[in-house]
Amino acid sequence: MNIFRFFAKESSAPAARDRLQVLLAHERASVGDNDLVSKLREEILAVIAKHVKVGDDQVNVKMDRGDQVSTLAVDIEIPLEKDARAA
Amino acid sequence: MNIFRFFAKESSAPAARDRLQVLLAHERASVGDNDLVSKLREEILAVIAKHVKVGDDQVNVKMDRGDQVSTLAVDIEIPLEKDARAA
């Protein structure tokens, strides 16, 4: 089951890394400037950073704000070195 | 762009609700019992709860723990009543 085809295009399938992918979508029933996705973005990245140590160059974040749907896609490569993992 | 086909099967497209969907996938390069997705699950739900007030019956959470890939899918319907939104 590959529910992450969205990322597949740019995957380089590194052999010695784990990967964490997050997709977030906010569908609005009415058009508005509700910015839920932006609000959640930093907090979700902070939650992830508590559990995984990654450098900035290993994090790829894409946001797309549409009238009806806003999306956030986060793609993180996690080195397998033991000390690269936070507790 | 529908990157959330995963959810489409069970969508009932309610007219007067917003919807927030989160997909999280952890691909492991080596098989192990790393439980990153479980760790992130409660914290991400807590982050969302800070911004949106939703009842338990409006939240659908699915986890799938495979040898190589663990996934978490969260589907939340958000009532449009003004006072149902947290600040």
Side-chain angles (χ1 to χ4, degrees):
Chain A
M1 179 180 68
N2 178 12
I3 57 178
F4 285 89
R5 270 162 292 190
F6 182 66
F7 287 111
K9 292 169 255 173
E10 22 196 337
S11 168
S12 56
R17 289 169 185 271
D18 284 5
R19 165 174 267 191
L20 180 67
Q21 296 176 321
V22 183
L23 288 179
L24 197 145
H26 181 209
E27 286 178 26
R28 291 182 297 284
S30 56
V31 176
D33 61 349
N34 183 311
D35 215 7
L36 183 60
V37 170
S38 303
K39 287 184 205 160
L40 294 175
R41 169 186 161 146
E42 293 309 317
E43 296 191 45
I44 287 179
L45 288 173
V47 161
I48 292 169
K50 281 167 59 179
H51 294 284
V52 215
K53 274 188 192 162
V54 285
D56 286 346
D57 58 338
Q58 290 154 337
V59 180
N60 181 16
V61 179
K62 282 185 199 163
M63 268 193 67
D64 182 57
R65 290 149 99 175
D67 281 346
Q68 299 285 345
V69 183
S70 293
T71 57
L72 170 69
V74 180
D75 191 2
I76 301 174
E77 293 189 0
I78 310 168
L80 286 189
E81 291 83 20
K82 280 178 201 159
D83 58 357
R85 290 261 165 89
Chain B
M1 178 179 70
N2 179 12
I3 57 179
F4 285 89
R5 271 163 290 193
F6 181 67
F7 287 111
K9 291 170 257 175
E10 20 194 337
S11 168
S12 54
R17 287 166 186 274
D18 284 4
R19 165 175 266 189
L20 181 67
Q21 296 177 321
V22 183
L23 289 180
L24 198 146
H26 181 210
E27 284 177 29
R28 291 181 298 283
S30 57
V31 176
D33 61 348
N34 182 312
D35 214 4
L36 182 60
V37 169
S38 303
K39 287 184 207 162
L40 294 174
R41 169 186 162 147
E42 294 309 317
E43 296 190 46
I44 287 179
L45 288 173
V47 161
I48 292 170
K50 281 168 58 180
H51 294 284
V52 215
K53 274 188 191 161
V54 285
D56 286 347
D57 57 340
Q58 290 153 336
V59 180
N60 182 14
V61 179
K62 282 186 200 164
M63 270 193 68
D64 183 55
R65 291 149 98 175
D67 282 347
Q68 299 286 345
V69 183
S70 293
T71 57
L72 169 69
V74 180
D75 191 2
I76 300 174
E77 293 190 0
I78 309 169
L80 286 190
E81 291 81 21
K82 283 178 198 158
D83 58 357
R85 289 261 166 88

